[in-house]
Amino acid sequence: MTLRSVVLGCGSYLPARTVTNAELAVKVDTTDEWIVQRTGIRERHIAADGELTSDLATQAAKAALTHAGIDAQSIDLIVLATSTPDQTFPASAVSVQTNLGITHGAAFDLQAVCSGFVYAMATADSLLRAGTFKRALVIGAETFSRILDWEDRTTCVLFGDGAGAVVLEAQELPGTREDRGVLVSCLRSDGRHKSKLYVDGGPSSTGTVGKLRMEGRAVFKHAVAMVTDVIRDAFKATGYTAQDLNWFVPHQANKRIIDDSAEKLGIAPEKVVITVDLHGNTSAASIPLALDTAVRDGRIKRGDLVMLEAMGGGFTWGSVLVRW
Ligand code: UT7
């Protein structure tokens, strides 16, 4: 028998305000046609003034707890993946903890940009399998609208705000690849690429928050190769193949990257969960938002084999193979 991190439930939250491509075309020199053709994005949600990353995260966490049918008091670990925390410190995770009325256990933020949720799943999984904690909330939450340069058409049309969460529980299972829960995670980073996607401010450098800067074409060039590598690592570690997957839930940055990755791996298009059209790129929130969408509409069911994958600033990238 071995400890596995089993998914008990998931939830998500999107700010009420939707911004279409047509609305952005009024502000910057772009068109709906360009954005849809190059990215697949049609609209995104933007947080209201005063609506914080921890507020979005709290709503997603509450939805996940309700879906799991458990009380917040049984959570002893909160890992919040975000690059847009409420403040430099304390971690936004402790605000979520307080909002949920939890005063025990541990809560911390984790920053791996768009790969944040994959990193957070891997981290929570390790802590649960070590027996250190029993039940974890793993959250991805972002207010990227706050770090966008709204005059830069090459970036401002791409991103959105939102949050998603899953509840993981440590369970004793046989230890085979047929177990439910996280089966393997593969994490990578390579800081030589750090200037291709970054924020031009920070507490230790400029003393300001800064704005997002990206060499989109350079990121695009690396994305497919990097994500297919870590997915192949996950297949190698478990003996599964693309044909065994029920669902592929990639980071939602660009539909072309998703389509190319799926094709290269031999994953059938009908197994790919796409939400980038409605959410834009919500960075660390994109995977749990997509997961929750596909669970709520009945696609992802208990026992399904689901591959999560992300790539982002750093570069960081990674995969998590989970049996739902
Ligand atoms: O989540 C983290 C990881 N991030 C990503 O995965 C993003 C990866 N990159 C991408 O998704 C794509 O590179 C973009 C969507 C950002 C850009 O698509 P692209 O096909 O690589 O376009 P490009 O950057 O090569 O730009 C093509 C043209 C340029 O004009 P010229 O130089 O050919 O005259 C741009 O100036 O499109 C122009 N352009 C725009 N035109 C209308 C750039 N942004 C826009 C815009 N509207 N919003």
PDB file of all heavy atoms in Angstrom, residues 150-164:
ATOM      1  N   TRP A 150      -1.698  48.073 -20.843  1.00  0.00           N
ATOM      2  CA  TRP A 150      -2.921  48.111 -21.660  1.00  0.00           C
ATOM      3  C   TRP A 150      -2.740  48.905 -22.960  1.00  0.00           C
ATOM      4  O   TRP A 150      -3.686  49.061 -23.716  1.00  0.00           O
ATOM      5  CB  TRP A 150      -4.100  48.635 -20.832  1.00  0.00           C
ATOM      6  CG  TRP A 150      -4.573  47.574 -19.877  1.00  0.00           C
ATOM      7  CD1 TRP A 150      -4.275  47.464 -18.539  1.00  0.00           C
ATOM      8  CD2 TRP A 150      -5.390  46.424 -20.192  1.00  0.00           C
ATOM      9  NE1 TRP A 150      -4.847  46.321 -18.014  1.00  0.00           N
ATOM     10  CE2 TRP A 150      -5.542  45.677 -19.006  1.00  0.00           C
ATOM     11  CE3 TRP A 150      -5.993  45.961 -21.363  1.00  0.00           C
ATOM     12  CZ2 TRP A 150      -6.286  44.483 -18.958  1.00  0.00           C
ATOM     13  CZ3 TRP A 150      -6.737  44.773 -21.310  1.00  0.00           C
ATOM     14  CH2 TRP A 150      -6.874  44.057 -20.120  1.00  0.00           C
ATOM     15  N   GLU A 151      -1.494  49.386 -23.177  1.00  0.00           N
ATOM     16  CA  GLU A 151      -1.218  50.030 -24.472  1.00  0.00           C
ATOM     17  C   GLU A 151      -0.397  49.115 -25.381  1.00  0.00           C
ATOM     18  O   GLU A 151      -0.100  49.472 -26.519  1.00  0.00           O
ATOM     19  CB  GLU A 151      -0.486  51.350 -24.243  1.00  0.00           C
ATOM     20  CG  GLU A 151      -1.424  52.350 -23.583  1.00  0.00           C
ATOM     21  CD  GLU A 151      -0.761  53.685 -23.304  1.00  0.00           C
ATOM     22  OE1 GLU A 151       0.455  53.812 -23.542  1.00  0.00           O
ATOM     23  OE2 GLU A 151      -1.489  54.575 -22.848  1.00  0.00           O
ATOM     24  N   ASP A 152      -0.009  47.944 -24.876  1.00  0.00           N
ATOM     25  CA  ASP A 152       0.809  47.009 -25.649  1.00  0.00           C
ATOM     26  C   ASP A 152      -0.089  45.920 -26.247  1.00  0.00           C
ATOM     27  O   ASP A 152      -0.462  44.955 -25.569  1.00  0.00           O
ATOM     28  CB  ASP A 152       1.877  46.391 -24.731  1.00  0.00           C
ATOM     29  CG  ASP A 152       2.705  45.331 -25.449  1.00  0.00           C
ATOM     30  OD1 ASP A 152       2.567  45.189 -26.689  1.00  0.00           O
ATOM     31  OD2 ASP A 152       3.467  44.632 -24.757  1.00  0.00           O
ATOM     32  N   ARG A 153      -0.390  46.060 -27.523  1.00  0.00           N
ATOM     33  CA  ARG A 153      -1.330  45.120 -28.154  1.00  0.00           C
ATOM     34  C   ARG A 153      -0.782  43.705 -28.242  1.00  0.00           C
ATOM     35  O   ARG A 153      -1.545  42.750 -28.412  1.00  0.00           O
ATOM     36  CB  ARG A 153      -1.695  45.603 -29.561  1.00  0.00           C
ATOM     37  CG  ARG A 153      -0.549  45.524 -30.552  1.00  0.00           C
ATOM     38  CD  ARG A 153      -0.991  45.838 -31.958  1.00  0.00           C
ATOM     39  NE  ARG A 153       0.123  45.656 -32.893  1.00  0.00           N
ATOM     40  CZ  ARG A 153       0.008  45.690 -34.202  1.00  0.00           C
ATOM     41  NH1 ARG A 153      -1.175  45.937 -34.747  1.00  0.00           N
ATOM     42  NH2 ARG A 153       1.046  45.507 -34.985  1.00  0.00           N
ATOM     43  N   THR A 154       0.562  43.575 -28.129  1.00  0.00           N
ATOM     44  CA  THR A 154       1.131  42.229 -28.265  1.00  0.00           C
ATOM     45  C   THR A 154       0.917  41.386 -27.006  1.00  0.00           C
ATOM     46  O   THR A 154       1.124  40.172 -27.038  1.00  0.00           O
ATOM     47  CB  THR A 154       2.643  42.269 -28.598  1.00  0.00           C
ATOM     48  OG1 THR A 154       3.353  42.781 -27.462  1.00  0.00           O
ATOM     49  CG2 THR A 154       2.926  43.149 -29.810  1.00  0.00           C
ATOM     50  N   THR A 155       0.546  42.024 -25.910  1.00  0.00           N
ATOM     51  CA  THR A 155       0.313  41.246 -24.680  1.00  0.00           C
ATOM     52  C   THR A 155      -1.088  41.441 -24.086  1.00  0.00           C
ATOM     53  O   THR A 155      -1.671  40.499 -23.558  1.00  0.00           O
ATOM     54  CB  THR A 155       1.351  41.603 -23.590  1.00  0.00           C
ATOM     55  OG1 THR A 155       1.354  43.031 -23.409  1.00  0.00           O
ATOM     56  CG2 THR A 155       2.737  41.122 -23.957  1.00  0.00           C
ATOM     57  N   CYS A 156      -1.628  42.657 -24.170  1.00  0.00           N
ATOM     58  CA  CYS A 156      -2.856  42.922 -23.396  1.00  0.00           C
ATOM     59  C   CYS A 156      -4.058  42.147 -23.894  1.00  0.00           C
ATOM     60  O   CYS A 156      -5.024  41.947 -23.147  1.00  0.00           O
ATOM     61  CB  CYS A 156      -3.151  44.418 -23.306  1.00  0.00           C
ATOM     62  SG  CYS A 156      -3.851  45.147 -24.804  1.00  0.00           S
ATOM     63  N   VAL A 157      -4.007  41.668 -25.140  1.00  0.00           N
ATOM     64  CA  VAL A 157      -5.160  40.923 -25.663  1.00  0.00           C
ATOM     65  C   VAL A 157      -5.144  39.447 -25.229  1.00  0.00           C
ATOM     66  O   VAL A 157      -6.102  38.721 -25.487  1.00  0.00           O
ATOM     67  CB  VAL A 157      -5.201  40.991 -27.210  1.00  0.00           C
ATOM     68  CG1 VAL A 157      -5.246  42.433 -27.684  1.00  0.00           C
ATOM     69  CG2 VAL A 157      -4.013  40.258 -27.840  1.00  0.00           C
ATOM     70  N   LEU A 158      -4.036  39.025 -24.603  1.00  0.00           N
ATOM     71  CA  LEU A 158      -3.842  37.590 -24.384  1.00  0.00           C
ATOM     72  C   LEU A 158      -4.340  37.068 -23.032  1.00  0.00           C
ATOM     73  O   LEU A 158      -4.655  35.891 -22.910  1.00  0.00           O
ATOM     74  CB  LEU A 158      -2.349  37.246 -24.505  1.00  0.00           C
ATOM     75  CG  LEU A 158      -1.661  37.637 -25.817  1.00  0.00           C
ATOM     76  CD1 LEU A 158      -0.162  37.345 -25.728  1.00  0.00           C
ATOM     77  CD2 LEU A 158      -2.273  36.895 -26.986  1.00  0.00           C
ATOM     78  N   PHE A 159      -4.353  37.949 -22.025  1.00  0.00           N
ATOM     79  CA  PHE A 159      -4.508  37.442 -20.666  1.00  0.00           C
ATOM     80  C   PHE A 159      -5.860  37.791 -20.041  1.00  0.00           C
ATOM     81  O   PHE A 159      -6.538  38.719 -20.488  1.00  0.00           O
ATOM     82  CB  PHE A 159      -3.378  37.980 -19.783  1.00  0.00           C
ATOM     83  CG  PHE A 159      -2.022  37.464 -20.190  1.00  0.00           C
ATOM     84  CD1 PHE A 159      -1.256  38.140 -21.141  1.00  0.00           C
ATOM     85  CD2 PHE A 159      -1.528  36.286 -19.662  1.00  0.00           C
ATOM     86  CE1 PHE A 159      -0.011  37.659 -21.533  1.00  0.00           C
ATOM     87  CE2 PHE A 159      -0.290  35.787 -20.052  1.00  0.00           C
ATOM     88  CZ  PHE A 159       0.470  36.485 -20.990  1.00  0.00           C
ATOM     89  N   GLY A 160      -6.209  37.047 -18.986  1.00  0.00           N
ATOM     90  CA  GLY A 160      -7.445  37.292 -18.257  1.00  0.00           C
ATOM     91  C   GLY A 160      -7.276  36.932 -16.787  1.00  0.00           C
ATOM     92  O   GLY A 160      -6.208  36.464 -16.371  1.00  0.00           O
ATOM     93  N   ASP A 161      -8.330  37.174 -16.011  1.00  0.00           N
ATOM     94  CA  ASP A 161      -8.310  36.915 -14.565  1.00  0.00           C
ATOM     95  C   ASP A 161      -9.218  35.727 -14.240  1.00  0.00           C
ATOM     96  O   ASP A 161     -10.212  35.489 -14.942  1.00  0.00           O
ATOM     97  CB  ASP A 161      -8.820  38.139 -13.805  1.00  0.00           C
ATOM     98  CG  ASP A 161      -7.982  39.387 -14.078  1.00  0.00           C
ATOM     99  OD1 ASP A 161      -6.805  39.246 -14.475  1.00  0.00           O
ATOM    100  OD2 ASP A 161      -8.507  40.501 -13.882  1.00  0.00           O
ATOM    101  N   GLY A 162      -8.910  35.042 -13.148  1.00  0.00           N
ATOM    102  CA  GLY A 162      -9.755  33.919 -12.738  1.00  0.00           C
ATOM    103  C   GLY A 162      -9.060  33.065 -11.699  1.00  0.00           C
ATOM    104  O   GLY A 162      -7.910  33.337 -11.318  1.00  0.00           O
ATOM    105  N   ALA A 163      -9.759  32.030 -11.239  1.00  0.00           N
ATOM    106  CA  ALA A 163      -9.190  31.131 -10.235  1.00  0.00           C
ATOM    107  C   ALA A 163      -9.829  29.756 -10.336  1.00  0.00           C
ATOM    108  O   ALA A 163     -10.998  29.627 -10.708  1.00  0.00           O
ATOM    109  CB  ALA A 163      -9.410  31.692  -8.836  1.00  0.00           C
ATOM    110  N   GLY A 164      -9.039  28.745 -10.012  1.00  0.00           N
ATOM    111  CA  GLY A 164      -9.557  27.379  -9.951  1.00  0.00           C
ATOM    112  C   GLY A 164      -8.879  26.647  -8.813  1.00  0.00           C
ATOM    113  O   GLY A 164      -7.772  27.021  -8.398  1.00  0.00           O
TER     114      GLY A 164
END
